[in-house]
Amino acid sequence: MKKITIAPVSRIEGHAHITIHLREDGEVESTQFHVTQVRGFEKFVEGRPYYEMPGITARICGICPISHLLASAKTCDALMAVRIPPTAAMLRELIHCAQVVQSHALSFFHLSAPDLLLGMDFDPARRNVLGLAAKWPEQARDGIELRKFGQQIIERLAGERVHPSWIVPGGVASPLESEAREEILQRLPHAREIIRRTLELYKSMLDRFAEEVENFGTSATMWAALVDPAGNLQLYDGRIRFAGMNGELIGDAAPEQYGGAIAEASLADSYMKAPYYRPLGIPNGIYRVGPLARLNVAGCCGTPEADRELAEFRQRFGRVPASSFHYHYARLIEITYALERIKQLLDTPGILDSQVRARAEVNAAEGVGVIEAPRGTLIHHYKVDANGAMKWANLIVATGHNNLAIGRGVEQVARHFIDGNRLREGMLNRVSALVRAFDPCLSCSTHASGVLPLRIELRSASGAVLDELRS
Amino acid sequence: MSCEAERCPSALVIGYGSSLRGDDQAGPMAAGQLSRLGFACRVAAQLTPELAADIAAARRVIFLDASVEVAPGEIAVLPLTPQPVASGPFDHHLTPAGLLQLAVDCYNWRGEAYLIAIGCDRFALGENCSTPAQRAIARAIRAVCDL
């Protein structure tokens, strides 16, 4: 049997490699998606005061620290048993929307646009953000400025772009200043213009990717995302909804009851956990999260422009588009939603109120906080002792939820596009592009479930396993 | 220290490196001190594409970075030209020359640029700079003022 290794998978957050086993006739026999880095945050936070958790867990990632700050702060709110001031909740949602804008812009413009605009078969040495800028300068500039807009809001609210300490247990550290509100409102129309023309461009070129749409992770999976009480898109708060492959309601779970809905498996060849819908097990309980899942689960977005785009999306591809290629499209619709939501929040009376933090000691031994991070549902779960020292933590991170679906998608893309007898780089790039469509954040997602599934194999030159060591 | 930041009002200083890796914070530390002298400064853990928008408005760009290729305590002032070279397969960060190229392609930037390499040798986890690095940081600040 021949073996192809794609290492590393480029233009993703974190480190992974893919193994593709070929039969003698050149057809794909099987594939494996390996996440090769290991973290350990759940273990080394034990003993730390609970109020340090937002600051510690934000360090899991430099791309989406705001997501961890929010999920962690919500978990701390639960440990304190407080209801945070309404203005604090709005400000948290505001910074979250800014995070979604900058993170989705990074994924679309800097990581995936080289494939989409330059082409899957373009020279790999120039298939990157610099190659994009050389051939599509306006789009590269749009990506820079959209991401910068999101980061500027984060910096204006929280003082720093990466790892700010503004989001705290009980709310936020300081109120929104009037000048900051005005600045954001002033810059908002430019950001909205960018996303409008990006959506138009993207829709105009979709026909060129009919084969990718048809073969990028289309296998039947469930979907999971937070929804509001009306069943619509919700990024900051709500209950976790599980829907079937056609969007039918399977079940809802309150955040603190996630354990009844989600179980986590360990895989032998990856440091990433593999969550699944507990009542259905594997494979029927495999689900996807993230932008496409959110749009498939939600009734609507709840803002006018995003809802118009969502209606067109569904008109073109059905009520529940299955192809993971559509994560890109969904990401652009969500940027539209986030920009509209920023405007709504800034126009809400009370957004400048000074009461933004509730204070309390520990009043509960256990807490759960859930948000929709840019890449999908993010769950923090802590247990503390009477003094508030961390006894136990579990983090289920967006990319982890997608682990099994990514593995399936890799196999589907490899089987369709790879011909082992006439191997071309573009074939392998499509396998990587499938992974990129999910925008995985592997730095975030490599958390242990029980014993780390470490395996060392000693193989002879012919590939036979001579010895094996398992943890 | 006397320094005339206003001599080149459109100069942009970008100090980059990790604040948790000992001497690697030399660039950000120098930029922080230059900011207090009136220079327009950006501090970053690494060079990301958004910095191209800041470069667009600057006639002169000065990068400050810790370097193991310069003797500890010393500095090297290197002229830079835009180069369409990606830093690697991950695309999360750019080289100074790559970032300048991005500014050229996206904003038609035309200006001059320098890299001040700050000689350092201790990059273990920690928030303190070594004595040689601190000496080099002082020299880097002087070099920016003299450019």
Side-chain angles (χ1 to χ4, degrees):
Chain A
M1 187 182 295
K2 298 175 195 169
K3 186 169 85 171
I4 302 169
T5 302
I6 303 174
V9 179
S10 60
R11 284 180 278 134
I12 60 171
E13 334 289 354
H15 305 277
H17 72 259
I18 292 169
T19 308
I20 301 167
H21 295 278
L22 300 173
R23 296 200 306 253
E24 290 303 324
D25 63 3
E27 294 292 309
V28 171
E29 171 77 20
S30 63
T31 63
Q32 287 168 312
F33 175 59
H34 315 267
V35 177
T36 53
Q37 58 189 151
V38 64
R39 307 301 290 272
F41 274 76
E42 285 100 333
K43 202 65 190 168
F44 70 66
V45 299
E46 287 176 8
R48 304 306 307 171
Y50 76 96
Y51 52 78
E52 288 185 357
M53 288 299 286
I56 292 173
T57 56
R59 266 67 186 178
I60 290 171
C61 186
I63 302 292
C64 47
I66 300 298
S67 302
H68 286 289
L69 281 165
L70 288 169
S72 182
K74 287 181 74 176
T75 313
C76 293
D77 299 343
L79 293 172
M80 295 154 65
V82 296
R83 190 180 64 191
I84 70 170
T87 300
M90 287 194 287
L91 292 175
R92 282 186 181 179
E93 188 181 352
L94 180 63
I95 200 168
H96 189 29
C97 286
Q99 155 91 347
V100 167
V101 170
Q102 71 88 13
S103 178
H104 281 1
L106 169 70
S107 171
F108 183 81
F109 288 97
H110 297 165
L111 304 183
S112 285
D115 294 328
L116 301 172
L117 294 175
L118 299 174
M120 296 280 181
D121 298 295
F122 194 75
D123 173 11
R126 292 181 295 140
R127 197 174 55 218
N128 52 44
V129 70
L130 291 175
L132 185 75
K135 282 195 169 279
W136 294 79
E138 186 185 342
Q139 284 66 35
R141 188 167 61 241
D142 280 352
I144 287 169
E145 293 185 2
L146 194 56
R147 182 151 195 251
K148 192 177 175 71
F149 173 73
Q151 289 181 321
Q152 281 173 330
I153 295 178
I154 293 169
E155 191 170 22
R156 205 64 178 82
L157 286 170
E160 297 166 85
R161 291 182 184 184
V162 183
H163 303 143
S165 51
W166 179 73
I167 300 163
V168 294
V172 296
S174 57
L176 175 65
E177 294 171 1
S178 175
E179 306 83 67
R181 176 182 173 274
E182 293 305 318
E183 262 180 43
I184 298 167
L185 284 171
Q186 201 172 18
R187 291 176 181 147
L188 192 56
H190 179 55
R192 292 185 67 173
E193 278 307 309
I194 289 174
I195 196 60
R196 283 186 192 120
R197 62 175 172 255
T198 304
L199 263 162
E200 289 311 309
L201 174 68
Y202 183 79
K203 288 185 282 191
S204 74
M205 64 187 201
L206 254 178
D207 289 345
R208 297 210 312 258
F209 294 97
E211 193 176 1
E212 282 79 7
V213 168
E214 193 70 23
N215 294 285
F216 262 45
T218 56
S219 67
T221 66
M222 293 173 58
W223 308 94
L226 288 182
V227 291
D228 70 10
N232 297 329
L233 180 65
Q234 176 55 242
L235 298 177
Y236 174 69
D237 207 7
R239 60 192 193 282
I240 310 169
R241 172 157 291 180
F242 294 87
M245 60 177 286
N246 297 312
E248 70 277 15
L249 177 63
I250 301 286
D252 280 359
E256 59 275 15
Q257 293 164 345
Y258 80 91
I262 297 171
E264 301 173 78
S266 292
L267 303 180
D269 50 14
S270 178
Y271 283 121
M272 187 156 64
K273 290 192 287 191
Y276 57 92
Y277 186 58
R278 185 185 292 274
L280 295 182
I282 298 175
N284 291 341
I286 295 175
Y287 59 87
R288 280 178 271 180
V289 300
L292 181 61
R294 286 193 284 262
L295 296 189
N296 283 346
V297 165
C300 66
C301 295
T303 58
E305 204 165 325
D307 275 336
R308 279 198 297 277
E309 292 295 343
L310 179 59
E312 184 181 339
F313 178 49
R314 288 173 175 172
Q315 194 173 26
R316 290 182 72 158
F317 298 105
R319 172 60 183 82
V320 182
S323 173
S324 293
F325 192 85
H326 292 316
Y327 270 96
H328 300 305
Y329 200 152
R331 218 163 264 129
L332 297 179
I333 295 173
E334 281 201 337
I335 293 176
T336 304
Y337 166 80
L339 294 174
E340 288 182 291
R341 190 71 189 126
I342 286 169
K343 177 80 165 64
Q344 286 180 345
L345 288 163
L346 290 174
D347 287 344
T348 302
I351 192 69
L352 297 174
D353 279 1
S354 58
Q355 184 57 262
V356 292
R357 187 172 185 178
R359 294 175 191 276
E361 299 296 321
V362 169
N363 290 301
E366 190 169 355
V368 176
V370 181
I371 65 154
E372 280 296 326
R375 294 161 184 82
T377 313
L378 171 62
I379 301 169
H380 281 216
H381 182 187
Y382 309 155
K383 294 177 185 175
V384 296
D385 66 16
N387 299 313
M390 290 291 298
K391 288 167 57 182
W392 177 89
N394 187 31
L395 312 176
I396 305 182
V397 180
T399 298
H401 296 284
N402 282 331
N403 190 2
L404 295 170
I406 292 173
R408 275 186 171 188
V410 163
E411 186 147 333
Q412 183 189 9
V413 173
R415 284 183 189 280
H416 181 80
F417 287 101
I418 289 182
D419 177 351
N421 298 312
R422 293 188 304 112
L423 203 58
R424 286 184 289 109
E425 192 279 335
M427 297 175 182
L428 301 181
N429 184 44
R430 282 171 175 81
V431 179
S432 298
L434 174 278
V435 178
R436 279 194 287 275
F438 284 89
D439 188 22
C441 190
L442 303 176
S443 322
C444 283
S445 62
T446 52
H447 300 276
S449 171
V451 178
L452 285 176
L454 181 65
R455 186 180 66 184
I456 302 170
E457 285 183 350
L458 181 63
R459 287 177 177 266
S460 69
S462 66
V465 177
L466 301 174
D467 200 0
E468 188 178 64
L469 182 65
R470 286 175 182 267
S471 60
Chain B
M1 178 184 296
S2 67
C3 190
E4 296 178 56
E6 56 280 0
R7 197 173 56 189
C8 184
S10 63
L12 174 66
V13 176
I14 300 174
Y16 63 103
S18 169
S19 60
L20 300 174
R21 281 283 186 179
D23 289 355
D24 198 40
Q25 65 190 299
M29 282 186 75
Q33 293 184 41
L34 285 160
S35 178
R36 288 189 283 278
L37 294 174
F39 281 87
C41 295
R42 297 285 178 275
V43 169
Q46 55 191 23
L47 299 179
T48 53
E50 302 76 60
L51 288 166
D54 297 319
I55 289 173
R59 286 207 306 271
R60 176 186 291 164
V61 182
I62 304 159
F63 295 93
L64 300 170
D65 187 23
S67 173
V68 291
E69 292 169 4
V70 176
E74 303 296 320
I75 63 165
V77 180
L78 310 165
L80 282 174
T81 53
Q83 297 284 337
V85 181
S87 57
F90 298 105
D91 269 12
H92 281 107
H93 60 94
L94 298 160
T95 62
L99 183 57
L100 293 174
Q101 184 66 46
L102 198 59
V104 169
D105 289 335
C106 293
Y107 297 98
N108 199 29
W109 177 75
R110 296 286 181 270
E112 59 181 18
Y114 301 90
L115 168 65
I116 298 184
I118 303 171
C120 299
D121 65 350
R122 292 177 58 184
F123 296 93
L125 287 171
E127 295 182 330
N128 296 318
C129 267
S130 66
T131 302
Q134 290 177 30
R135 203 165 57 237
I137 288 169
R139 286 182 168 148
I141 292 167
R142 170 55 60 196
V144 171
C145 294
D146 290 344
L147 273 174

